[in-house]
Amino acid sequence: MLRTYAAVVAFVVALIPLSSAGPLRLRAEQLGTPRNDTFDYVVVGGGTAGLTIAARLAKFASVAVIEAGGYYQVDYGNASVIPLLALTGLDIIDPTTNFPHRPNIDWELVTVPQSNAANRVMHYAQGKTLGGSSAINTMSYLRSTKSAYQRWADLVGDNSYTFPNLLPYFKESVHLTPPNLAKRNAANATPEYDPNSFGNGGPLEVSWNNWVDPTLTWLAACLQAVGLAINPKGFSSGELNGGSWLPSTIDPTHATRDSAQTSFLDDALGKTQLRVFPHSLATRILFKDKKAKGVTVSTNGTIYSLMAKKEVIVSGGVFHSPQILMVSGIGPKATLQAHNISVVADLPGVGKNLQDPVSIGVGNFVNTPNAQSMVANSATQPEALRQYREDAAGPYSSVAGYISYERLPAEIRSTLSNATREALAKYPSDWPELQYIVGTFLGPNGSAMGSISATITTTFSRGSVSIASADIATAPVIDPSWFSNPADGDMLVAGVKRIRQAWASGPAQSIRLGPEARPGVEVDTDAEILDYIQKNANMIWHASSTCAMGKKSDKMAVVDSKARVFGVQGLRVVDISIFPYSPPGHPQASVYMIAEKIADDIKRGR
Ligand SMILES: Cc1cc2nc3c(=O)[nH]c(=O)nc-3n(C[C@H](O)[C@H](O)[C@H](O)COP(=O)(O)OP(=O)(O)OC[C@H]3O[C@@H](n4cnc5c(N)ncnc54)[C@H](O)[C@@H]3O)c2cc1C
Ligand SMILES: *[C@@H]1O[C@H](CO)[C@@H](O)[C@H](O)[C@H]1NC(C)=O
Ligand SMILES: *[C@@H]1O[C@H](CO)[C@@H](O)[C@H](O)[C@H]1NC(C)=O
Ligand SMILES: *[C@@H]1O[C@H](CO)[C@@H](O)[C@H](O)[C@H]1NC(C)=O
Ligand SMILES: *[C@@H]1O[C@H](CO)[C@@H](O)[C@H](O)[C@H]1NC(C)=O
Ligand SMILES: *[C@@H]1O[C@H](CO)[C@@H](O)[C@H](O)[C@H]1NC(C)=O
Ligand SMILES: CC(=O)N[C@H]1CO[C@H](CO)[C@@H](O)[C@@H]1O
């Protein structure tokens, strides 16, 4: 499948409307010079959160942002820009150890063998580029639930984390474009949403796909047929139940990816003195006594320090932020001492509490076409190309777009173990228990496939990130510990059963061809389903919570509710690593939000 896509990617070389992608080269005055220098704020990591907070701080202060990668549009091209290719053209999202090595765009991280998942070693893609993982993600834009943010507020002891109090920060990042119903041309896929949940002034484009995959409308109907009705508010109003045609972070005018780079960075470069240090590795945070004073940087062999008059902000993402803290002397004392790193602050929680939601799909051959089968077919591809070039529409303009959530119906709930039911009972009544994502694939010989996957929305297993060396250039040790808590496997077994109900529904009968393709009818008993899950479950790249926010009294907390690292001064961590736990929903909206929120705290002197 990926190989087919390489051919498609090569074919669509001419597709990118380059005029929409900005200059893709920093002008001299925007580019940091590799030399010892001083700024008000030094931001480590030009990813989703890093570029957002850097752009906001640059409105009133001097800011440097250090990023290991460059421009993904240059380094990776069409696959990272054209929406359809985010699903199957991004070859680096291959989770197996056969992943293609592309050090210009991906950190090439792998996990330790997963002892509860058939001993698999997984490749965990993470964007190493301006925009970070927002440059390689699937672009779905949705938020978590009211009770999930209430739980966050309770855990960290700060009421500013309730959904109503967070809403202004969610709104601030976004520019929403209502659905283009003419381009979508699908009466059974009209998005329902609450416009009051969105603002209009932010730089990040959020819009609905300019085309609807016909197979997805059938798969949505299958989920609706087993009780997951359309949610009239959509998934940005603090509710996650039923189904929704979702918006994505796509610029609807050109139908191109909008990342933190094309939104926040581009916007700031025109208006502020923000300095960007691309292709530069932040190697260590410098402390004087217990105050962060700056960062040492390596740019192509030149070693220098960027000093921070005010603060250092670490936005390296879920795996690298804890690594940067540890190599700089902040983390579990025993780990630091084992690597001869002098201890600045003994924080046992750094790198712990990793939460990585896992997912499993049930797939079938179908008689309806999909985006991939249409662009792989020489009879339909030219029209798809024309639609994309001339109208920013058609299959190339579109990525995924329909998700459902539910609390398990009683009949399936009764198949869970007592322990799993007791674990679920600790969560509030609006908390979704499983997520279902519908997807389409290209099967053998140009055939079309449909898939419905289940993802856990509460991750009961806890993993970790640690260091193998005091040298930042050595990859961190990543152990998501999949299925170390049996409740996660139990939930996915229930998910497979539920999805099989959807595949047995009336709408499914109209499109299904042949016996179940994956897992296959021979995978039948709970034990067989669990075994299949352990061998085949995948990440959905939502790992979080390795520098968890919490109360000062919580010994495992790494930052306080203003993202300030405990035990030191002048240092914050701002990215997905500080989420206290993995909230239901997809994280990027909350990552942009937290960067907006902490930037506002800093601006107000908090
Ligand atoms: C394949 C994939 C699909 C996804 N799909 C979705 C989706 O559809 N919807 C959704 O909401 N979320 C999705 N996500 C998750 C979401 O994109 C991430 O959670 C989010 O982007 C994380 O933001 P971040 O700022 O924490 O980290 P990142 O955006 O990864 O930024 C970290 C940055 O720090 C840089 N860096 C790290 N260490 C150093 C160093 N030492 N020196 C210099 N620079 C450094 C990195 O290069 C990177 O640019 C997906 C993620 C992936 C990978
Ligand atoms: C690094 O230095 C080499 C040799 O001076 C140069 O050719 C190359 O372009 C530089 N790379 C970057 C990313 O600056
Ligand atoms: C920065 O300063 C340090 C310490 O004075 C020095 O060793 C280093 O060479 C300087 N770096 C550059 C690029 O000038
Ligand atoms: C730490 O220092 C000791 C004593 O100098 C040395 O023996 C040991 O190898 C060092 N360990 C590491 C991981 O560098
Ligand atoms: C599960 O809980 C029910 C009551 O809720 C109890 O009757 C049953 O014995 C429990 N089963 C096990 C295996 O603990
Ligand atoms: C694909 O088509 C070829 C040639 O017609 C055939 O030999 C092969 O079995 C087909 N593969 C599948 C999986 O249908
Ligand atoms: C990954 C890939 O195929 N990228 C191509 C996209 O388009 C540019 C030019 O527009 C090519 O140079 C890349 O090779």
Side-chain angles (χ1 to χ4, degrees):
M1 191 165 66
L2 291 173
R3 234 167 253 121
T4 316
Y5 257 76
V8 175
V9 172
F11 190 76
V12 294
V13 155
L15 272 176
I16 294 193
L18 275 173
S19 57
S20 70
L24 298 184
R25 181 166 294 144
L26 293 157
R27 294 198 311 272
E29 69 273 21
Q30 299 162 338
L31 189 64
T33 310
R35 64 170 182 224
N36 292 310
D37 208 345
T38 302
F39 295 84
D40 291 329
Y41 297 95
V42 176
V43 177
V44 174
T48 316
L51 290 181
T52 303
I53 195 164
R56 292 310 192 197
L57 296 176
K59 287 182 167 182
F60 60 88
S62 69
V63 181
V65 57
I66 305 158
E67 169 53 45
Y71 276 103
Y72 58 84
Q73 299 92 332
V74 174
D75 294 331
Y76 200 45
N78 317 317
S80 54
V81 177
I82 298 170
L84 173 62
L85 304 186
L87 288 173
T88 40
L90 277 175
D91 56 4
I92 50 160
I93 66 175
D94 180 348
T96 73
T97 48
N98 296 324
F99 69 94
H101 289 261
R102 305 210 188 285
N104 280 343
I105 175 89
D106 176 35
W107 282 92
E108 312 194 312
L109 301 172
V110 292
T111 69
V112 302
Q114 295 299 288
S115 55
N116 297 298
N119 251 3
R120 283 182 293 154
V121 170
M122 312 297 304
H123 164 233
Y124 210 117
Q126 290 283 286
K128 182 186 178 185
T129 186
L130 289 165
S133 296
S134 73
I136 62 166
N137 71 15
T138 318
M139 298 178 262
S140 296
Y141 182 92
L142 63 159
R143 303 168 186 163
S144 196
T145 70
K146 285 177 183 149
S147 72
Y149 296 113
Q150 181 65 54
R151 186 163 179 265
W152 186 328
D154 295 344
L155 275 171
V156 308
D158 185 338
N159 243 355
S160 67
Y161 284 88
T162 62
F163 185 68
N165 289 339
L166 293 176
L167 192 54
Y169 298 112
F170 279 114
K171 287 184 174 178
E172 202 175 356
S173 355
V174 176
H175 176 261
L176 184 81
T177 303
N180 186 324
L181 298 178
K183 284 186 179 176
R184 286 173 70 82
N185 192 24
N188 51 3
T190 301
E192 305 270 353
Y193 67 104
D194 177 5
N196 297 322
S197 307
F198 292 92
N200 264 318
L204 181 69
E205 295 290 347
V206 173
S207 66
W208 280 267
N209 291 331
N210 280 340
W211 184 80
V212 179
D213 187 313
T215 300
L216 289 189
T217 65
W218 283 99
L219 298 180
C222 295
L223 286 165
Q224 288 158 19
V226 295
L228 285 83
I230 293 279
N231 186 318
K233 286 193 179 166
F235 290 159
S236 283
S237 303
E239 289 180 17
L240 294 175
N241 57 56
S244 183
W245 293 99
L246 297 169
S248 305
T249 44
I250 293 177
D251 167 0
T253 309
H254 304 101
T256 47
R257 173 189 296 275
D258 215 24
S259 65
Q261 175 245 296
T262 52
S263 57
F264 282 91
L265 179 62
D266 276 6
D267 190 52
L269 286 178
K271 297 176 185 161
T272 71
Q273 302 294 308
L274 182 63
R275 287 289 176 284
V276 184
F277 293 73
H279 299 295
S280 300
L281 193 65
T283 54
R284 206 157 65 86
I285 305 160
L286 300 166
F287 291 92
K288 178 144 189 280
D289 302 323
K290 287 190 184 293
K291 184 171 188 339
K293 302 300 275 183
V295 178
T296 54
V297 187
S298 168
T299 304
N300 210 12
T302 304
I303 313 289
Y304 55 101
S305 300
L306 298 180
M307 306 309 283
K309 274 188 270 188
K310 298 204 161 116
E311 293 189 26
V312 172
I313 294 159
V314 174
S315 300
V318 64
F319 302 123
H320 294 106
S321 284
Q323 184 196 18
I324 293 160
L325 293 187
M326 284 189 259
V327 303
S328 307
I330 299 177
K333 195 174 172 183
T335 307
L336 306 185
Q337 285 172 345
H339 295 284
N340 290 343
I341 299 166
S342 33
V343 178
V344 178
D346 175 18
L347 290 187
V350 175
K352 300 295 194 300
N353 194 47
L354 171 60
Q355 302 187 24
D356 191 30
V358 278
S359 164
I360 191 75
V362 178
N364 281 298
F365 289 97
V366 294
N367 62 20
T368 45
N370 66 45
Q372 289 92 321
S373 68
M374 289 166 81
V375 303
N377 181 336
S378 57
T380 42
Q381 196 275 345
E383 171 60 9
L385 192 60
R386 188 203 63 77
Q387 285 178 297
Y388 189 68
R389 276 200 191 137
E390 295 177 13
D391 299 331
Y396 286 114
S397 70
S398 177
V399 61
Y402 190 85
I403 297 182
S404 298
Y405 291 89
E406 73 171 344
R407 295 176 63 76
L408 288 174
E411 167 211 358
I412 297 247
R413 179 182 302 276
S414 69
T415 67
L416 298 171
S417 75
N418 281 4
T420 301
R421 269 184 286 163
E422 278 162 23
L424 289 175
K426 297 196 176 106
Y427 290 84
S429 61
D430 86 340
W431 194 280
E433 293 172 338
L434 279 175
Q435 165 184 264
Y436 306 103
I437 304 181
V438 298
T440 57
F441 296 93
L442 187 63
N445 292 342
S447 59
M449 296 186 74
S451 157
I452 306 178
S453 68
T455 314
I456 53 174
T457 47
T458 314
T459 306
F460 293 105
S461 301
R462 295 288 177 270
S464 66
V465 182
S466 194
I467 49 173
S469 154
D471 180 359
I472 191 80
T474 306
V477 181
I478 299 170
D479 181 7
S481 287
W482 286 358
F483 306 119
S484 54
N485 186 322
D488 292 338
D490 210 13
M491 290 304 290
L492 284 190
V493 172
V496 167
K497 291 178 187 167
R498 191 71 174 119
I499 294 168
R500 281 177 164 168
Q501 291 179 347
W503 273 119
S505 68
Q509 298 315 311
S510 307
I511 59 166
R512 273 186 70 163
L513 297 171
E516 182 178 283
R518 299 196 294 249
V521 287
E522 68 284 1
V523 178
D524 185 32
T525 64
D526 284 13
E528 286 164 353
I529 297 173
L530 182 61
D531 180 66
Y532 177 84
I533 288 167
Q534 289 169 337
K535 289 179 176 141
N536 295 282
N538 198 4
M539 74 280 283
I540 61 165
W541 302 276
H542 290 183
S544 72
S545 311
T546 51
C547 297
M549 183 182 288
K551 294 177 185 164
K552 198 172 172 52
S553 57
D554 175 357
K555 287 286 160 271
M556 296 307 281
V558 175
V559 302
D560 70 7
S561 70
K562 307 285 185 284
R564 295 176 293 219
V565 177
F566 286 119
V568 296
Q569 289 87 50
L571 181 64
R572 299 193 208 224
V573 179
V574 180
D575 59 26
I576 197 168
S577 71
I578 66 173
F579 289 19
Y581 65 91
S582 173
H586 289 218
Q588 70 165 338
S590 296
V591 173
Y592 284 109
M593 174 279 288
I594 195 82
E596 296 273 19
K597 183 177 193 316
I598 304 300
D600 190 48
D601 282 336
I602 292 173
K603 184 177 159 192
R604 292 165 189 268
R606 296 196 281 232

